Amino acid sequence: MDVNEIKSQFPIFSKKINGKPLVYLDSSNSSQKPLSVINRLNDFYRNEFSNIGRSIHSLAVNATNKFEETRTSVKNFINAKFNEEIIFTKNATEAINLIATTFGQQNIKEGDEIIISELEHHSNYVPWHFLREIKKAVIKFAPINEDGDIIIEKLKELITPKTKIIAITHLSNVTGTIVPIKEIVEIAHKKKIPVLVDGCQSVPHIKVDVTDLDCDFYAFSGHKVYGPTGVGILYAKKKWLEKLPPFIGGGAMISEVKKDNIIYAPLPEKYEAGTMPTAEVITFNESIKFMKSIGIDSLIEHEKEITNYALEKLKKINSVKIIGNPKNKAGVIAFTIKGIHPHDIATILDEDGVAIRAGHHCCQIFHEKMNLTATARASIGVYNTKDDIDILCKAIENCRKIFDLK
Amino acid sequence: MDLKQLYQDIILEHGKSPRNLGKCEGYSHEAKGYNPLCGDKVHVYIKLNSEKKVEGLTFEGEGCAISLASASIMTELVKGKSFDEAMDIMNAFLNMIKNTSEIQSKHLDEDQKTKLMSLSGVKQFPMRVKCATLSWHTLVSALEKKKEEVNTEKVD
Ligand SMILES: Cc1ncc(COP(=O)(O)O)c(C=O)c1O
């Protein structure tokens, strides 16, 4: 993989930030977009725009076909079995809410238990908290160890006959922990408990095969996979989508509407009410093509090389502490510098054109567990180079200088 | 933008060794402030005497250099002032950050104004304004004895 060639596909890298070349280390938050994706969105609006599904004119037929082509591409990309198992939402958060709400409505009653983990993003906690409030469900947290790995034995012990669902992240957006989902699914399925996976950070960075994982639900966001904002994906096994009630009601999700009764549309439309982010979904097909053009194996290898390089260099800087040391780690590096608050780090780095994130990264449970209020986070994307890491480390040295650290 | 403007020596020094940390003895008023975006927290304690004068003013907090320095400087400048004077200084500070470029308050001398002006660097860093203002909003809340926690997403 030629990283410079790949980087050259991203127009943003020709821009200067505070007079410096952009070093973008915030891909866990959202990735930058290659020209093919930007052009596709523009092109669709210029030459092909129409809403989908509702009209029979040529533009509508074309748009509908293209929309469905993205569905097929997504299905193939994550190796789902059927097109109708792929539901488009506005982001992963909405996808998780869709399942928490509909599954909760149908299957959760007072005292029932939901297991999540201490690594979860707020998007995979708050929707379940709603069920705690509305249904008086109980939420149990699978604990993590100092390294940031979920303790599988402890998770097992949390399972009781009242456990109704396990919702867990595939890849932590703080520690980069790659969670052994397949193992967790096997444990859960032995007890007939369905598993929802938050795949926001995994789809852009590791191989995802939902058939192999055998999970029941898998959620992710297009904007972290080099795609446009406004596209979320929910994969769910067909048996669930057929059985669960609809989520949002309105046009497109119905097949027959009478004064005394409504019949819902078949899958996948049952879960795609109202006008969808048509242009963005169609554009997302280009993001998948981009991922495929690199090849997931080359991408993993490249990001691993950059991650290892970054870890080695950061560890050599005095007073830098890397948070977590998981068995399997992807390119998400949370760190602290003794004597400098993460917010100050982010401001100073920005002056050098280095974009990182500071705060709790929507993972307050994790930070509390680790006795931290905030961390700085550098996260790696396919376009990052060793030069980027060198610039990051130099900028960190500058922080230390400003704060007069020894 | 200028980092040196933001991280002036006095800010770094107060950030490293904040003054008036802890709970002041016999405090009569207190309030908590929170910035949900970054997790900065501050807890302000005030001892108002019978003449409504700020006899004691301390804080506990966690946060960046800017927020700690701002709280620290605030405790130094507001201690000893009357309730009304404290409110006037607070308004002058917020006004300096948001509108004007100087401190307009007759309750501070020139040295004190200079000290407060060291926080003016945040004007160039919009994302950091709330770091500087959190403790001041919390001070008002404590003085007014509002029960609710100050949340930077709900004040402007
Ligand atoms: C692990 C994880 N889950 C969920 C989300 C939420 O994604 P979105 O905001 O696109 O719905 C994110 C992104 O911030 C994430 O990193």
Side-chain angles (χ1 to χ4, degrees):
Chain A
M1 190 193 111
D2 177 357
V3 64
N4 290 317
E5 192 279 318
I6 285 173
K7 200 161 188 167
S8 72
Q9 295 182 38
F10 290 75
I12 197 137
F13 292 116
S14 59
K15 293 269 171 299
K16 293 252 154 59
I17 303 293
N18 296 321
K20 310 270 172 56
L22 168 63
V23 173
Y24 190 74
L25 291 167
D26 198 18
S27 295
S28 286
N29 185 347
S30 197
S31 64
Q32 295 297 343
K33 318 303 171 200
L35 188 60
S36 59
V37 168
I38 298 166
N39 280 346
R40 184 67 188 104
L41 192 66
N42 189 8
D43 194 51
F44 178 73
Y45 276 121
R46 272 175 178 267
N47 301 313
E48 298 174 60
F49 182 76
S50 163
N51 208 342
I52 56 166
R54 298 173 189 191
S55 312
I56 49 171
H57 55 73
S58 306
L59 284 174
V61 172
N62 173 62
T64 308
N65 288 341
K66 295 282 158 61
F67 193 92
E68 291 308 316
E69 274 173 29
T70 301
R71 200 186 306 276
T72 305
S73 294
V74 171
K75 180 204 82 170
N76 293 335
F77 189 61
I78 61 170
N79 197 31
K81 290 200 183 84
F82 307 102
N83 274 8
E84 57 268 40
E85 294 182 321
I86 306 298
I87 306 294
F88 291 111
T89 61
K90 88 171 174 284
N91 49 34
T93 302
E94 186 177 283
I96 297 170
N97 273 272
L98 190 162
I99 293 304
T101 306
T102 60
F103 182 90
Q105 232 179 68
Q106 194 173 68
N107 301 292
I108 303 269
K109 48 184 197 314
E110 186 170 342
D112 281 346
E113 296 168 0
I114 297 158
I115 298 178
I116 67 171
S117 86
E118 290 176 342
L119 281 179
E120 299 316 308
H121 188 281
H122 296 164
S123 324
N124 197 24
Y125 173 26
V126 183
W128 306 108
H129 168 73
F130 290 168
L131 294 175
R132 183 160 65 184
E133 287 199 321
I134 297 164
K135 297 267 192 161
K136 300 199 170 68
V138 175
I139 299 178
K140 290 178 163 179
F141 291 85
I144 52 172
N145 59 22
E146 270 297 302
D147 290 338
D149 278 311
I150 294 174
I151 308 169
I152 302 293
E153 282 310 307
K154 290 268 161 74
L155 185 152
K156 265 188 193 165
E157 287 166 16
L158 294 180
I159 298 176
T160 75
K162 288 192 161 176
T163 308
K164 287 292 148 70
I165 190 164
I166 298 178
I168 221 139
T169 188
H170 198 171
L171 203 166
S172 158
N173 63 312
V174 184
T175 56
T177 307
I178 300 173
V179 177
I181 292 296
K182 202 171 165 176
E183 189 185 343
I184 293 172
V185 171
E186 273 169 20
I187 293 166
H189 282 184
K190 269 192 202 132
K191 306 256 163 95
K192 299 209 161 29
I193 301 164
V195 177
L196 175 141
V197 182
D198 174 357
C200 268
Q201 298 297 339
S202 37
V203 174
H205 304 291
I206 63 175
K207 198 177 166 98
V208 172
D209 179 332
V210 292
T211 300
D212 180 54
L213 292 173
D214 199 29
C215 56
D216 297 83
F217 311 104
Y218 202 95
F220 65 102
S221 281
H223 69 92
K224 296 185 201 261
V225 199
Y226 310 102
T229 54
V231 183
I233 289 101
L234 170 69
Y235 157 81
K237 281 185 178 165
K238 206 158 89 173
K239 64 168 189 193
W240 282 113
L241 292 178
E242 282 168 348
K243 194 174 139 221
L244 293 175
F247 179 46
I248 293 174
M253 55 77 70
I254 39 78
S255 67
E256 228 186 294
V257 178
K258 296 278 171 60
K259 278 193 171 164
D260 57 355
N261 191 33
I262 291 172
I263 299 170
Y264 305 128
L267 295 172
E269 283 78 19
K270 176 182 169 188
Y271 289 101
E272 293 179 355
T275 295
M276 296 294 287
T278 312
E280 288 82 357
V281 168
I282 288 170
T283 300
F284 186 55
N285 209 353
E286 285 305 318
S287 313
I288 295 174
K289 283 185 197 157
F290 170 76
M291 289 287 286
K292 282 181 153 171
S293 74
I294 298 164
I296 194 77
D297 293 328
S298 320
L299 181 144
I300 292 171
E301 193 187 339
H302 169 70
E303 292 185 3
K304 210 173 203 120
E305 188 184 339
I306 303 298
T307 306
N308 289 340
Y309 182 72
L311 288 171
E312 252 169 56
K313 279 205 80 166
L314 286 169
K315 279 178 192 159
K316 284 193 191 129
I317 305 176
N318 249 344
S319 57
V320 168
K321 184 175 174 220
I322 312 279
I323 307 304
N325 179 29
K327 284 199 198 94
N328 276 309
K329 183 177 172 88
V332 189
I333 304 171
F335 63 96
T336 54
I337 303 178
K338 197 161 187 266
I340 316 180
H341 191 275
H343 243 178
D344 296 314
I345 301 172
T347 295
I348 297 170
L349 261 51
D350 185 55
E351 284 296 295
D352 282 328
V354 180
I356 61 154
R357 192 167 164 189
H360 51 55
H361 324 297
C362 302
C363 293
Q364 268 186 291
I365 301 294
F366 171 85
H367 281 77
E368 206 160 281
K369 170 90 177 195
M370 296 291 182
N371 276 323
L372 297 161
T373 47
T375 51
R377 180 187 72 183
S379 54
I380 283 146
V382 65
Y383 30 61
N384 287 120
T385 62
K386 287 186 178 172
D387 281 350
D388 290 344
I389 303 303
D390 292 340
I391 296 170
L392 165 74
C393 291
K394 245 170 114 178
I396 290 176
E397 288 295 355
N398 187 36
C399 287
R400 290 170 34 81
K401 212 158 84 205
I402 288 176
F403 276 75
D404 200 21
L405 294 186
K406 296 289 164 330
Chain B
M1 286 185 276
D2 188 358
L3 279 179
K4 291 223 171 64
Q5 258 316 102
L6 185 64
Y7 293 109
Q8 297 180 27
D9 288 345
I10 176 166
I11 301 280
L12 291 172
E13 201 269 318
H14 273 263
K16 215 180 269 177
S17 338
R19 319 293 195 270
N20 303 311
L21 263 189
K23 288 187 183 68
C24 61
E25 213 174 293
Y27 64 87
S28 54
H29 294 60
E30 64 173 321
K32 283 184 190 171
Y34 181 52
N35 181 344
L37 293 185
C38 59
D40 280 0
K41 280 180 196 156
V42 68
H43 195 155
V44 170
Y45 302 90
I46 305 170
K47 184 179 180 188
L48 268 192
N49 67 15
S50 51
E51 282 117 52
K52 280 189 121 189
K53 202 166 146 180
V54 180
E55 218 174 87
L57 174 56
T58 60
F59 79 103
E60 294 170 335
E62 268 175 78
C64 60
I66 311 295
S67 74
L68 291 179
S70 181
S72 172
I73 290 171
M74 174 187 85
T75 58
E76 285 195 330
L77 298 187
V78 172
K79 207 154 119 184
K81 306 290 183 200
S82 71
F83 179 94
D84 291 340
E85 287 166 351
M87 291 300 247
D88 179 73
I89 294 168
M90 196 282 302
N91 283 325
F93 174 72
L94 292 183
N95 203 27
M96 181 275 284
I97 296 287
K98 283 178 195 147
N99 307 312
T100 65
S101 289
E102 51 183 13
I103 298 282
Q104 291 159 331
S105 170
K106 51 183 188 301
H107 305 295
L108 294 175
D109 63 29
E110 286 312 309
D111 281 355
Q112 291 173 321
K113 283 183 186 170
T114 308
K115 198 177 239 181
L116 206 43
M117 280 304 287
S118 69
L119 287 158
S120 65
V122 296
K123 291 164 76 98
Q124 291 177 58
F125 297 83
M127 298 298 286
R128 306 302 300 278
V129 164
K130 284 172 180 168
C131 306
T133 57
L134 175 64
S135 55
W136 292 81
H137 286 299
T138 310
L139 172 76
V140 180
S141 171
L143 283 171
E144 292 177 344
K145 268 216 159 166
K146 278 188 199 148
K147 281 267 149 48
E148 202 182 326
E149 180 175 280
V150 172
N151 184 314
T152 53
E153 293 312 286
K154 292 182 195 151
V155 293
D156 48 36

